[in-house]
Amino acid sequence: MMSYSFCMLTAAAALLVPCHALNCPGLPELSDNTTLGGLLRLLEPILGPTWPFRREKLPEPQVPMGLQGLPISRNTEFSDVLVNFRQRLSRLEGALTLNGKITKAGEKILASNGKKVTFSSALESCEQTGGTLATPMNKEENKAILRIVEQYNTNAYLGIKESETSGQFEYMNGTPLNYTNWYQYEPNGKGTEKCVEMYTNGNWNDRKCNLYRLTICEF
Ligand code: MMA
Ligand code: CA
């Protein structure tokens, strides 16, 4: 019982990305006659343990007998759940934005707990809540992170680290950076400053990882 509603909500959450038809960027293609069971199977490898809490395992998708084989578009109960879920989430985002609790940049949601901790502690608290350290991938995201840095008037660690090759920096998953916003003459640590902080002007500096910097996560 629990696993069915859990899967419904999981599937619904996956479809909350702004999209007008059933097809959403980043999701498998859905046809009008994709079945509910089919949808859950398609979503499983994407959502896997990534939602809502990345550490949790998803239960096996289970669809009640009566719903098996029914096209999503004709399953009014499922559509109602989706519409309701979208509205609810949008209201929740509104409330959190109004409160200054979250900042949005494209599909990313950014938030801070206001705590100043070392790089590894910051990363850990982001991951524990299903996110990762804020990682600006473009100007817009950099600006969104900067707004939080300004709010606390405190430098923040970013989700970027020095690679095996000193002087070269990469994302936490090891891929090379495709956007940078280094301060003049940075990075200058040459292997001695393996983390990256954002200054209160939005520029980046390579810096030691054991300092106390603002935690900003992306979700
Ligand atoms: C300077 C500058 C930075 C470096 C820090 C380390 C204050 O900024 O050289 O690049 O990371 O010193 O303390
Ligand atoms: Ca530096």
Side-chain angles (χ1 to χ4, degrees):
M1 201 64 244
M2 134 80 193
S3 67
Y4 171 62
S5 53
F6 183 83
C7 283
M8 285 291 273
L9 293 181
T10 304
L15 294 172
L16 284 166
V17 289
C19 49
H20 304 292
L22 280 175
N23 287 318
C24 312
L27 288 178
E29 223 170 89
L30 301 177
S31 69
D32 193 46
N33 56 10
T34 301
T35 62
L36 185 54
L39 173 67
L40 295 179
R41 270 190 300 279
L42 282 170
L43 291 175
E44 202 189 18
I46 298 172
L47 297 170
T50 63
W51 193 90
F53 299 107
R54 285 169 200 212
R55 279 153 194 248
E56 265 179 38
K57 274 225 155 92
L58 265 187
E60 283 292 302
Q62 280 174 20
V63 180
M65 278 310 285
L67 291 179
Q68 281 175 20
L70 188 68
I72 299 162
S73 53
R74 278 194 272 129
N75 183 339
T76 52
E77 189 195 335
F78 184 74
S79 312
D80 287 354
V81 169
L82 278 188
V83 167
N84 207 286
F85 213 77
R86 274 209 188 96
Q87 288 175 344
R88 181 96 199 167
L89 195 75
S90 150
R91 286 156 57 207
L92 202 51
E93 284 184 349
L96 289 170
T97 305
L98 180 70
N99 260 333
K101 300 284 184 203
I102 63 167
T103 304
K104 295 210 280 177
E107 289 303 302
K108 280 189 190 174
I109 294 176
L110 297 152
S112 174
N113 57 7
K115 294 196 172 134
K116 289 195 216 180
V117 297
T118 63
F119 175 83
S120 59
S121 302
L123 180 61
E124 193 175 302
S125 44
C126 289
E127 287 182 347
Q128 238 157 31
T129 46
T132 190
L133 268 176
T135 307
M137 306 277 286
N138 55 49
K139 212 172 173 176
E140 188 202 357
E141 292 180 6
N142 204 75
K143 271 191 193 162
I145 298 166
L146 174 59
R147 282 202 291 277
I148 303 176
V149 164
E150 283 172 335
Q151 191 181 328
Y152 290 94
N153 193 27
T154 302
N155 296 358
Y157 277 128
L158 300 176
I160 294 172
K161 59 182 173 62
E162 194 167 33
S163 71
E164 298 292 321
T165 315
S166 86
Q168 270 189 44
F169 286 78
E170 59 189 24
Y171 297 117
M172 298 312 294
N173 66 10
T175 60
L177 304 184
N178 54 22
Y179 163 83
T180 64
N181 195 33
W182 296 113
Y183 190 60
Q184 55 185 349
Y185 314 125
E186 306 295 346
N188 65 352
K190 301 186 181 75
T192 69
E193 299 184 306
K194 296 189 161 302
C195 289
V196 177
E197 64 181 343
M198 178 183 282
Y199 285 145
T200 52
N201 70 354
N203 281 138
W204 307 353
N205 173 36
D206 57 339
R207 201 72 198 255
K208 289 198 183 302
C209 302
N210 59 353
L211 304 173
Y212 297 102
R213 292 290 176 269
L214 182 65
T215 305
I216 304 178
C217 309
E218 65 178 42
F219 298 91

